[in-house]
Amino acid sequence: MRKRYLAPLVLSVLFFAACGGGEKKTENADSVSTHEESPAADNSMVSPSASKPVSKGETLMAQSDCKTCHKEEMKVVGPALKDIAGKYPNTPENVDKLADKVIKGGSGNWGEVAMLPHPQISKDDAKEMVSYILSIGK
Ligand code: HEC
């Protein structure tokens, strides 16, 4: 008994659902194709990579906590990155020495505030970050 009542009900619900779904799909397809014809898509592909290539060191710094204390142009808790770049020439010795400081922490070179150690950062990654910092403005 029950099944005989339910079957037409279920079928008609499915039918309406299918119809509704079908209509929505064609609407979406229409709006997508109109957007795709807009020339703005080209610009968004070109501008980020053309004007500002992102170095590995910059990406690593963005993923770490560096930016909470260091900004490129301005002293925050730590010295501005461009001031660090101005103080140390970009030599392998300086990159090595500063990479150690990033890992072990440092103080006394810029003032009273100390930089916390970053023991989780590998020496290679720290060197990438320092090379990026020392290349700023040069
Ligand atoms: C808690 C805030 C803080 C964070 C987070 C931080 N720094 Fe620093 N950083 C400082 C301070 C303060 C100094 C200045 C230390 C001093 O006077 O020697 C400094 C100094 C430096 C220096 C110069 C060291 C020297 O001896 O001149 C480098 C390079 C540097 N930071 C890189 C980084 C990198 C890379 C990161 C991310 C992995 C980072 N910092 C994260 C606060 C911070």
Side-chain angles (χ1 to χ4, degrees), residues 57 60-61 64-70 75 77-79 81 84 87-88 97-99 101-103 105-116 118 120-121 125-126 129-130 133-134:
L60 288 168
M61 285 187 70
S64 184
D65 63 354
C66 319
K67 301 265 170 171
T68 42
C69 295
H70 295 285
K75 178 179 187 291
V77 180
L81 298 181
I84 300 176
K87 180 167 172 173
Y88 302 98
K97 194 177 74 177
L98 293 174
K101 283 210 183 155
V102 170
I103 294 168
S107 67
N109 295 296
W110 298 87
E112 297 301 304
V113 192
M115 174 158 64
L116 298 175
H118 296 83
Q120 77 282 9
I121 294 176
D125 283 357
M129 297 182 205
V130 172
I133 294 170
L134 295 190

